Amino acid sequence: MFSDSDAAKEVAELTAQLNDHNYRYYVLDNPSIPDAEYDRLMRRLQDLEDAHPELRVSDSPSQRVGALPLSEFSQVQHVIPMLSLDNAFGDDEFSAFDRRLKDRLKSDEDIEFACEPKLDGIALSLRYEEGLLVQAATRGDGQTGEDITQNVKTIGSVPLKLLGENLPPVLEVRGEVYMPKTGFERLNRLAAEAGEKVFVNPRNAAAGSLRQLDSRITARRPLEFCAYSVGDVSANFLPDKHADILQMLSERGFRLNPELRVVTGVQACLEYYRDLGARRDELPFEIDGIVFKVNELALQQKLGFVSRAPRWAIAYKFPAQEEMTELKEVEFQVGRTGAITPVARLEPVYVGGVTVSNATLHNADEIERLGVMIGDTVVIRRAGDVIPQIVSVVLEKRAGRDNLKEITFPDACPVCGSETERAEGEAVVRCAGGLVCGAQRKEGLKHFASRKALDVDGLGDKLVEMLVDQGLVQSLPDLFHLDVDKVAALERMGPKSAQNLVDALEKSKQTTLPRFIYSLGIREVGEVTASQLAKYFLALDAVMAATEEQLLEVPDVGPVVAHHIVTFFRQEHNLETLKALIAEGIHWPEIEAAPAAEELALAGKVIVLTGTLSTMGRSDAKVRLEALGAKVTGSVSKKTDLVIAGEAAGSKRAKAEQLGIDILDESGLLDLLAEHE
């Protein structure tokens, strides 16, 4: 008789065999058994787990087949932001990048770089705890992504359980999900044979496959995962070179790009770039450039970060690829600020790995510069392999054509019929309709509810468009009068989602003056300018009454921005909207006049944040410390006065201990803030 213990033993043996075969197939590219034998082992495991459900665990190979559909994806906050990369588009720009590194390091020695192809796929974060995959998330905006764990578990090259011993308690692996060229071609061939819509390129196919609410669909798509870095990792588990980290990931069960190399100096990097560029079409996957990273982690730490990108890495993109096609028509789109942008509708053409059917013409000046007409044959380029644009007109193709038409900007807004205007000295034509214009209304509402503005949870772009299209919202104040039943009746909504939205809108009424100013969508007023206006004038009424001369006294405000601010607050419909929003209960705490910089409690102190803070994000902690006069930097040095070490603090804490620098834990940080705020 086959006992429970016999079943458990066989499940364990089958799991080990299948995991080993997965590693050999997806990582080593060296399968040791035919597909039919693999399928037989998998069926046996599934049969045993069906008969003994208590033996089915989250990291079982059988979990790759997909689970029941989800209703929606939940959001995930990245412990460490997933930053973007700066780009280089020529040898001179790459050489300038190398010179910046040497200048910052105060050294002329050649730098060792880890070089790898920039896969044209979707960035992904995989979180492992005690060796088990617990979460997979998209990059999103770098701070917040979507939880797609159920889908990612279906990808064979993603280990559900890490290989080896001495595993870190936490290991976040980052990489790219992509669709190989052969898999993409097979997917499209089957779709065409079935009369279904085909994908235009492998990246779109990969993105669409990852965002399926039904993971069983994802399981049928030929997706691969290639690791390229780590994020959140328990202390003392990383080698001191980037390439060695990748080798460690390979030993833990991850696929690496076979073209990965380590080279020293600019010339070696350029040779690698040219070699791979020459072989680009022969590679089994799409790439759009090469990523170069300083290999030494100690040097990475010295170099630090700027804005949303590391100083120590760059993506050297391949030259734009060009093709000819016909300009069929020009349509005019209206943006949030009323800018009317001409969009070229093209005879679809395959350029740089993507089928292009639209391209921006930017503005009237660009159309005049190109001398382009409807019906022309034009040269299309994907600038940086991203943005399709018209480069030139093929004048020789005009001979004998009688269907050419001039491109004329409309006298009236194509959305609302309001007059259009073009300010002196500007290339942009704008709709004068403001919030009465449907296009501006939608974009204005999206901006108003965005994360850096009122931060209305659940009010995404698609929902805003539905609310406007269904006539439920005509202006910003209308948001606070939404009927739960009417919202619940919208597509993909329901009573709970509708109530959550109304509750989120009510919660958003408690905000800050900088956020509120930013939410209004005043031209050229970003979050930094909004913050400066609030700090300088302290009250909304003072900002509204300010003259252009007074506004020019504000840091970060120049003549153009000052003009836009004054113009905005002179418009009667804007003033009516503001009055209505305040009447709805939007409010913020009063701002006290800031003390002189030298009077702040932490003036002159250099502070470093490291590790995970459970009660607040590191970005929030940075803002609060800087408000007290501190300078918050990314690396520990002899000039550092204090290190705030949260959970899983690693090398920065160790270096602070070596240098004898004061260290506070999160509790100490809270006490420090409570004492001085």
Side-chain angles (χ1 to χ4, degrees), residues 362-499:
H362 298 292
N363 51 51
D365 286 355
E366 180 70 0
I367 291 172
E368 183 179 350
R369 184 189 70 79
L370 290 168
V372 64
M373 301 176 71
I374 295 170
D376 266 330
T377 297
V378 295
V379 175
I380 299 298
R381 174 193 294 157
R382 290 187 64 211
D385 280 353
V386 176
I387 304 169
Q389 64 181 20
I390 293 178
V391 179
S392 61
V393 177
V394 185
L395 296 176
E396 303 92 287
K397 297 284 188 179
R398 280 186 175 175
R401 289 194 178 180
D402 56 6
N403 63 335
L404 298 178
K405 294 190 300 182
E406 289 189 4
I407 300 170
T408 305
F409 268 74
D411 295 326
C413 172
V415 174
C416 70
S418 298
E419 292 183 5
T420 60
E421 58 184 3
R422 181 176 179 182
E424 186 177 352
E426 284 196 1
V428 179
V429 176
R430 298 182 186 277
C431 164
L435 290 177
V436 305
C437 176
Q440 294 181 72
R441 183 185 307 133
K442 286 182 179 179
E443 296 306 311
L445 286 163
K446 293 173 186 177
H447 180 77
F448 183 76
S450 64
R451 184 171 59 85
K452 294 178 180 178
L454 269 288
D455 193 20
V456 183
D457 189 29
L459 187 53
D461 291 356
K462 290 184 179 179
L463 181 53
V464 166
E465 293 188 10
M466 283 195 291
L467 291 172
V468 174
D469 292 342
Q470 296 298 317
L472 300 182
V473 173
Q474 299 295 325
S475 65
L476 298 181
D478 287 348
L479 287 169
F480 302 101
H481 294 277
L482 287 173
D483 182 273
V484 172
D485 292 337
K486 290 182 179 179
V487 175
L490 295 174
E491 183 182 354
R492 296 190 65 179
M493 294 295 287
K496 184 176 180 181
S497 297
Q499 187 61 55

Side-chain angles (χ1 to χ4, degrees), residues 11 14 18 41-49 60-61:
V11 164
L14 287 167
L18 288 165
L41 295 173
M42 179 64 77
R43 283 195 299 272
R44 176 58 179 164
L45 175 62
Q46 290 171 329
D47 289 342
L48 285 169
E49 290 180 340
S60 168

Side-chain angles (χ1 to χ4, degrees), residues 530-557:
S531 178
Q532 296 286 12
L533 289 168
K535 288 179 182 178
Y536 187 87
F537 290 105
L538 306 181
L540 180 62
D541 288 344
V543 178
M544 294 169 63
T547 64
E548 290 190 27
E549 291 74 18
Q550 290 171 323
L551 288 164
L552 289 173
E553 298 296 322
V554 180
D556 197 50
V557 174

Side-chain angles (χ1 to χ4, degrees), residues 603-617:
K605 298 292 185 183
V606 178
I607 298 178
V608 173
L609 292 164
T610 183
T612 303
L613 303 177
S614 58
T615 57
M616 71 181 82

